[in-house]
Amino acid sequence: MPELNLAQSINQALHQAMKTDDRIVILGEDVGVNGGVFRITDGLQKAFGAERVIDTPLAELGIVGVSVGMAAYGLKPICEIQFDGFLPSVMDQVINHFGRLRQRSQGKHAAGLILRSPHGGMVHAPEHHSESPEAYFAHTPGIKVVIPSTPKDAKGLMLAAIQCPDPVVFFEPKRIYRSIKENVPDESYEVAIGKARVAREGKDATVISWGALVHTCLEAAQKLQGEGVDVEVIDLRTLSPIDIGAILTSVSKTGHAVIAQEAPKTCSLASEISALIHERALLKLQAPVRRVTGWDTRTPLFRLEKYYFPDAARIAAAVRETMSF
Amino acid sequence: MPLTKIADFKIERLEILGADGRCDEALVPVISKEKMLEIYRMLVLIRVFDEKAFKLQRQGRLGTYPQILGQEATQIVPPMCLEKKDWLIPTYRGQGSYFARGMPLVNSLLYWGGDDRGAKLPDGQNDMIFAIPVGSHLTHAVGVAMAAQYRKDSAVALTYLGDGASSKGDFYEAMNFAGVYKAPVIFFVENNQWAISVSRKTQTSAQTIAQKAIGCGLSGIQVDGNDVFAVYRAVQEAIARARRGDGASVIEAETYRLGDHTTADDSSRYRSKEEIDLWKDRDPIARFRVFLTAQNVLTEDADLEVRRAAEEKVRSAIDEYESVPEPNPLSMFELIYGEPTWNILEQRAEFERYWASGSSRRETLASAGEGRFP
Ligand SMILES: Cc1ncc(C[n+]2csc(CCOP(=O)(O)OP(=O)(O)O)c2C)c(N)n1
Ligand SMILES: [Mg+2]
């Protein structure tokens, strides 16, 4: 079982699946010869040819629209949008087409495609390269949204997404593409879509997060351990549908919940999770749910990004506040 | 019924100054010697800037930076054909075009150094901040042009795009609006042959990008983009046409990106050294220098002086950049709305409390993770 980082584990999943599943076609900007700007599709064009790993013209809406047609024909397109900041232009296909094709066509077609995109900030990237647009997608009916935070989950979630009959938006936390390594099983395996993971067990407070920020939450939990606060960290892994069971189990145990995300606060996934907890576990709560988020502003250029994205200290402070409510 | 030809189109290519510095006298635009020297000084200066900015990035003193090496003529010359009342709507690979419009070099350094203050255009300059999402600014240029038309200002809009951007639907929509309303806009396509790793051939099976104009009823021409005179002439003519009310133009300027896509790219993965060498021989500055020298407009001493002055200007821009104090984090909450809303005010206060409280705050702030990005 080799040690892989997240970029390598996704690459391995794609490679293995393409060997046995000839429905899979990869398309996007720079995904072929260059292997993707993050090298996630590295070597795939060499292995499977330019017919299956397609360098497209620079046209996001085209990439996704073409993928919808391919999926209707029975293929399994896996398309890449190079950066989170360029997802807004594809929303017409997301909302008006692939999210609703199954019902609109009265069950004849389903757009079982996968839309991959990097996610999140803190890599000193240029403007529009540090965004967290998950809420726009999770808000849209008919599509599943996943985001792994470990190499092992990344491979398993990708393989599950390939088997999923629904369209899956697959976010990849770019901050930890290469910084986290672990042993990843060689064989093919799936991590179920819709299932959260307890990243750390604890009894005093629940911190819910996803993507790269899970690791920041674990740091915060470590800090709080020293102060005698035992934090449970839930890595959501799937953002639509939310694993409500896992959240309620944890919150019922701890009575305190903090949600941490990179995205702005208003109308976000954190808002939805907070509403769910208040609706279903109000009497188990010993304090209102707190949200630690990016501000309701535009992501600043990178000199200020450390003040924009939640860090371990800010997450720990929110836990302390709920504990002393 | 026989088939009849109902329309006939052709696309012309304009070349005036050859790679050897010789030129077609009949086509040379009328430019004063002083103006020629001014163009030359700008070309040299922006090349020095580009080289230095690249080095700064390599030394960790600048963020990701998109080089313009090899594209100096297409960057510098078109904006120099504009009047003050006109508008420039450039791309992210636009340090040269902004500079030619009067934006201080320090602004580009600040912006690519991750400081939002770099995006502030000087007062009185009618240009727009470039868009990072490729092609999304092209309709803005048409809107600017239509607004100028409405105001009867006789101002024109000059907008840039790349060969990659020509594949975006936005380009078609922008050209089509411009055609329907005869908007005074010039689409200047900087065809540098590559969109990151994707070659010009993969973007379109059309023989030229210029011919895309035809489908929308615009004028289209291809020019040698490393030829100062061809660029100058084509842009002048397009501007004159726009001001006369005769509509919009597409100018496809063929040039070459000699550097990587950005400092985060490695172009050896997708293109050959031979190709790069071929284009190095078509250097826009070298051939202009040969011409100026042959015409006795530029002496060797004067040339040395041009370079020395350029180095000095760039050095002082870098000094200025590095002496600008860190941006104030509270600026994140400014200018989101005309008047800040309750959530912005509340979050700003929360941040301020939090920032003031932790003496260890600075150390605990997360450090930038590892990443690659173009
Ligand atoms: C909508 C959008 N998609 C993708 C990107 C990432 N990206 C930045 S520049 C670029 C290539 C652009 O090529 P071209 O238009 O030819 O301009 P050039 O970079 O060559 O100047 C890409 C794909 C982006 N910025 N915006
Ligand atoms: Mg290009």
Side-chain angles (χ1 to χ4, degrees):
Chain A
M1 208 161 51
E3 224 184 37
L4 299 182
N5 64 34
L6 210 130
Q8 292 164 327
S9 75
I10 299 171
N11 180 270
Q12 189 186 74
L14 295 171
H15 201 110
Q16 289 181 354
M18 288 184 81
K19 263 192 202 157
T20 55
D21 186 346
D22 71 354
R23 297 174 308 153
I24 300 173
V25 169
I26 288 182
L27 53 167
E29 293 155 14
D30 306 287
V31 297
V33 177
N34 203 27
V37 296
F38 288 103
R39 311 285 182 257
I40 305 303
T41 53
D42 199 19
L44 295 180
Q45 192 182 66
K46 228 183 206 141
F48 302 105
E51 254 178 33
R52 290 185 73 192
V53 183
I54 305 169
D55 272 325
T56 67
L58 203 173
E60 284 73 16
L61 194 58
I63 292 169
V64 180
V66 165
S67 299
V68 171
M70 286 179 161
Y73 200 89
L75 300 187
K76 176 62 79 178
I78 303 180
C79 60
E80 173 179 304
I81 298 300
Q82 200 163 76
F83 277 97
D84 30 67
F86 313 132
L87 283 165
S89 79
V90 312
M91 293 314 278
D92 193 19
Q93 290 295 334
V94 175
I95 297 169
N96 291 329
H97 291 287
F98 77 62
R100 54 177 81 188
L101 185 61
R102 178 183 284 108
Q103 198 185 45
R104 279 189 67 236
S105 66
Q106 302 294 297
K108 180 167 161 51
H109 295 303
L113 56 84
I114 297 170
L115 194 169
R116 297 180 34 245
S117 172
H119 173 278
M122 289 304 290
V123 297
H124 280 190
E127 200 178 358
H128 299 273
H129 290 64
S130 302
E131 312 299 306
S132 308
E134 62 268 24
Y136 299 101
F137 294 87
H139 183 67
T140 305
I143 65 179
K144 298 198 166 149
V145 183
V146 303
I147 178 166
S149 75
T150 66
K152 222 154 112 185
D153 281 354
K155 177 172 174 182
L157 277 170
M158 177 52 77
L159 292 174
I162 289 170
Q163 295 313 320
C164 181
D166 303 311
V168 178
V169 173
F170 193 101
F171 283 114
E172 300 166 3
K174 67 171 89 74
R175 171 153 70 92
I176 54 169
Y177 261 144
R178 289 180 167 76
S179 58
I180 292 173
K181 290 190 179 101
E182 67 179 340
N183 289 329
V184 175
D186 274 327
E187 67 274 12
S188 177
Y189 62 92
E190 289 183 25
V191 167
I193 293 177
K195 288 279 170 243
R197 169 181 78 102
V198 178
R200 181 189 201 275
E201 278 190 54
K203 57 181 186 346
D204 298 331
T206 302
V207 174
I208 301 158
S209 193
W210 52 91
L213 209 57
V214 168
H215 300 278
T216 315
C217 293
L218 289 170
E219 244 178 85
Q222 197 68 36
K223 217 186 270 287
L224 290 161
Q225 191 68 51
E227 301 169 20
V229 183
D230 189 20
V231 175
E232 180 145 302
V233 177
I234 304 281
D235 172 6
L236 221 44
R237 299 197 294 197
T238 296
L239 307 181
S240 179
I242 291 169
D243 188 349
I244 181 75
I247 292 173
L248 294 181
T249 302
S250 179
V251 173
S252 302
K253 177 171 74 175
T254 63
H256 300 89
V258 169
I259 307 152
Q261 68 180 18
E262 294 189 14
K265 192 175 212 170
T266 297
C267 289
S268 65
L269 214 70
S271 318
E272 177 63 23
I273 296 166
S274 167
L276 284 168
I277 296 172
H278 285 117
E279 279 169 2
R280 293 167 191 236
L282 185 64
L283 297 180
K284 298 277 169 51
L285 286 177
Q286 291 172 40
V289 175
R290 292 196 73 87
R291 291 174 284 163
V292 186
T293 70
W295 311 113
D296 283 348
T297 66
R298 144 184 174 271
T299 319
L301 291 193
F302 68 78
R303 291 241 171 177
L304 294 181
E305 71 177 339
K306 62 188 174 194
Y307 302 104
Y308 178 85
F309 295 111
D311 59 3
R314 220 165 105 196
I315 295 165
V319 174
R320 279 185 213 112
E321 279 171 40
T322 40
M323 295 305 293
S324 61
F325 178 73
Chain B
M1 227 66 92
L3 280 173
T4 51
K5 188 189 253 183
I6 57 166
D8 201 9
F9 304 109
K10 68 172 191 301
I11 289 293
E12 292 178 323
R13 178 180 166 95
L14 181 63
E15 293 177 18
I16 301 174
L17 184 62
D20 56 2
R22 286 216 295 246
C23 76
D24 184 336
E25 301 288 348
L27 289 172
V28 176
V30 183
I31 312 179
S32 69
K33 281 187 180 171
E34 200 26 65
K35 178 102 180 180
M36 283 192 205
L37 275 176
E38 195 190 334
I39 293 173
Y40 182 70
R41 276 194 292 267
M42 302 280 269
L43 293 170
V44 170
L45 195 141
I46 207 66
R47 175 162 292 181
V48 171
F49 174 81
D50 200 59
E51 282 165 356
K52 291 273 169 12
F54 177 79
K55 284 195 188 130
L56 285 184
Q57 192 281 336
R58 286 295 188 250
Q59 295 163 356
R61 293 155 72 192
L62 195 68
T64 301
Y65 174 78
Q67 277 185 278
I68 53 175
L69 185 67
Q71 300 178 217
E72 291 85 359
T74 51
Q75 283 283 310
I76 293 293
V77 176
M80 289 184 78
C81 300
L82 294 176
E83 292 177 22
K84 193 163 168 55
K85 67 182 174 199
D86 297 328
W87 287 59
L88 172 74
I89 300 95
T91 75
Y92 50 87
R93 202 183 299 284
Q95 309 87 286
S97 60
Y98 267 144
F99 174 64
R101 279 288 278 174
M103 178 138 116
L105 293 171
V106 66
N107 284 51
S108 289
L109 292 172
L110 283 168
Y111 182 87
W112 295 107
D115 188 330
D116 278 297
R117 288 172 294 184
K120 191 167 166 47
L121 294 164
D123 288 341
Q125 190 175 329
N126 275 342
D127 304 334
M128 278 181 78
I129 168 72
F130 57 78
I132 299 271
V134 165
S136 56
H137 60 299
L138 297 170
T139 41
H140 305 170
V142 180
V144 164
M146 288 172 68
Q149 217 174 17
Y150 174 74
R151 290 293 187 207
K152 302 192 170 35
D153 281 339
S154 91
V156 306
L158 168 69
T159 188
Y160 276 71
L161 63 143
D163 42 307
S166 76
S167 296
K168 289 283 286 188
D170 306 59
F171 181 41
Y172 174 76
E173 293 183 29
M175 283 192 296
N176 198 45
F177 266 67
V180 169
Y181 301 107
K182 277 199 182 309
V185 55
I186 295 99
F187 298 98
F188 189 83
V189 185
E190 238 179 337
N191 172 6
N192 62 7
Q193 313 301 333
W194 291 94
I196 309 188
S197 72
V198 179
S199 71
R200 148 66 186 82
K201 273 206 182 75
T202 306
Q203 295 298 340
T204 173
S205 71
Q207 194 183 334
T208 66
I209 295 174
Q211 74 202 61
K212 297 204 171 196
I214 292 168
C216 298
L218 273 47
S219 310
I221 189 170
Q222 188 184 74
V223 306
D224 177 349
N226 287 0
D227 171 347
V228 166
F229 290 144
V231 172
Y232 192 93
R233 190 182 174 113
V235 173
Q236 284 285 14
E237 285 176 2
I239 290 174
R241 201 159 38 239
R243 277 203 224 286
R244 281 199 307 271
D246 288 342
S249 308
V250 174
I251 299 168
E252 176 191 2
E254 276 208 305
T255 178
Y256 195 77
R257 189 195 81 210
L258 285 172
D260 293 332
H261 170 69
T262 66
T263 46
D265 178 43
D266 170 11
S267 67
S268 70
R269 289 174 68 92
Y270 52 81
R271 62 181 190 181
S272 70
K273 193 177 164 301
E274 291 71 47
E275 180 184 301
I276 299 171
D277 287 344
L278 184 77
W279 280 92
K280 273 190 185 153
D281 293 340
R282 302 175 187 164
D283 190 299
I285 302 182
R287 75 171 82 164
F288 195 43
R289 181 184 304 122
V290 171
F291 172 84
L292 293 178
T293 315
Q295 300 288 312
N296 291 323
V297 178
L298 184 73
T299 63
E300 209 163 298
D301 282 350
D303 191 22
L304 285 175
E305 174 54 23
V306 167
R307 280 149 198 277
R308 200 201 51 75
E311 303 251 350
E312 192 176 303
K313 278 217 176 86
V314 171
R315 200 171 320 118
S316 86
I318 293 172
D319 287 347
E320 192 185 344
Y321 161 63
E322 297 203 311
S323 63
V324 171
E326 282 289 307
N328 183 345
L330 290 175
S331 64
M332 285 189 294
F333 301 95
E334 284 166 12
L335 303 171
I336 304 293
Y337 298 98
E339 285 298 324
T341 51
W342 68 266
N343 55 323
I344 299 287
L345 291 173
E346 220 176 83
Q347 291 176 19
R348 182 191 145 113
E350 183 189 334
F351 172 75
E352 235 174 334
R353 259 198 321 278
Y354 182 63
W355 194 31
S357 75
S359 52
S360 65
R361 170 70 184 160
R362 277 183 183 279
E363 298 101 74
T364 58
L365 282 169
S367 61
E370 184 188 350
R372 292 185 52 92
F373 39 81

